[in-house]
Amino acid sequence: MQRTSLPSDTVFGDAGGVHQLATVTDDASSGYVANLTIGV
């Protein structure tokens, strides 16, 4: 099986996966919060 690069991947190809990754805030002592906006 050959490797698939981000530019040729049909899932993460647009904008290098930036729209598929959550934004994580806060820290280990108070807990983490992950936000991900999904267009429907």
Side-chain angles (χ1 to χ4, degrees):
M1 177 178 258
Q2 292 182 332
R3 292 182 145 207
T4 301
S5 64
L6 286 178
S8 66
D9 187 345
T10 60
V11 176
F12 296 104
D14 295 338
V18 70
H19 299 295
Q20 289 86 11
L21 299 174
T23 301
V24 180
T25 56
D26 293 318
D27 57 56
S29 63
S30 64
Y32 292 99
V33 175
N35 291 299
L36 179 63
T37 302
I38 302 172
V40 178

